[in-house]
Amino acid sequence: MLARLEGSRRALKGSKFEDIVRNELRTLFAAHKLSLSVGDKETRINDETYDVQVSNGKATILVPVKTRETMGGGHANLFTRDIFKSISVAQGGGYLCVPIIIAESWAEDLKSLKCEHLIYLQTNPNQTDEVQKLLAEQLTKLLPLWKKFAKGQP
């Protein structure tokens, strides 16, 4: 019902990717015996929604999951603005933010997002198996961050 209120097919697809991210994080943390928990539901800070949260019991990393299916068009600026706002609100609230961006055709200077840790998968979000494989690889590349965070360090 909630997905229907949020926007039908797009909301359902977004929920699917959020579940994939949660599962991949849990698998990674278990494999490396990291004492981190992954939230089951989204959280809201101000007017921003964060799809996934990773907690070490003292602090939380916010993980917005952003997908873009279409190529071209005028909505790329809105997509970029949405990502930038998610990062800004999280950082303004004292949170570490690790956005996951899945978009085949999105040309943006990632440095302009002013976010130390992010995952950008330049692939079509409709290719779920490919996205899941690439996501697992990129989450593993952030293992130093996850290990440090599990020890209580920001």
Side-chain angles (χ1 to χ4, degrees):
M1 176 80 171
L2 179 62
R4 182 181 167 141
L5 293 174
E6 285 184 348
S8 65
R9 183 180 74 83
R10 218 168 134 208
L12 289 171
K13 263 202 168 159
S15 295
K16 181 178 185 175
F17 285 113
E18 294 157 17
D19 288 340
I20 289 170
V21 170
R22 286 185 188 100
N23 290 334
E24 290 298 328
L25 283 168
R26 287 181 179 128
T27 299
L28 179 67
F29 298 161
H32 293 275
K33 297 178 176 58
L34 299 178
S35 295
L36 297 173
S37 63
V38 179
D40 289 324
K41 297 180 181 175
E42 66 184 28
T43 191
R44 186 175 292 272
I45 298 176
N46 296 335
D47 60 345
E48 284 302 303
T49 302
Y50 297 88
D51 307 300
V52 180
Q53 312 82 46
V54 176
S55 176
N56 65 9
K58 296 177 184 175
T60 301
I61 294 176
L62 300 175
V63 183
V65 180
K66 306 293 185 186
T67 61
R68 178 169 164 76
E69 289 183 27
T70 58
M71 296 173 70
H75 297 286
N77 289 337
L78 295 175
F79 184 70
T80 302
R81 184 190 70 192
D82 186 37
I83 295 165
F84 183 78
K85 188 173 179 201
S86 288
I87 294 167
S88 297
V89 169
Q91 291 174 341
Y95 294 93
L96 182 60
C97 186
V98 180
I100 297 175
I101 304 161
I102 306 166
E104 184 174 31
S105 180
W106 177 65
E108 188 63 36
D109 176 15
L110 297 177
K111 291 184 191 294
S112 72
L113 296 175
K114 297 179 182 160
C115 186
E116 183 179 352
H117 306 284
L118 65 85
I119 293 174
Y120 173 44
L121 304 179
Q122 189 172 5
T123 189
N124 186 330
N126 292 316
Q127 306 299 320
T128 309
D129 292 339
E130 179 69 12
V131 167
Q132 191 165 357
K133 177 182 161 235
L134 293 170
L135 179 63
E137 292 170 3
Q138 293 301 310
L139 289 170
T140 300
K141 286 183 180 179
L142 289 178
L143 200 52
L145 168 70
W146 306 125
K147 286 181 176 179
K148 185 176 173 184
F149 188 64
K151 292 178 182 174
Q153 301 170 8

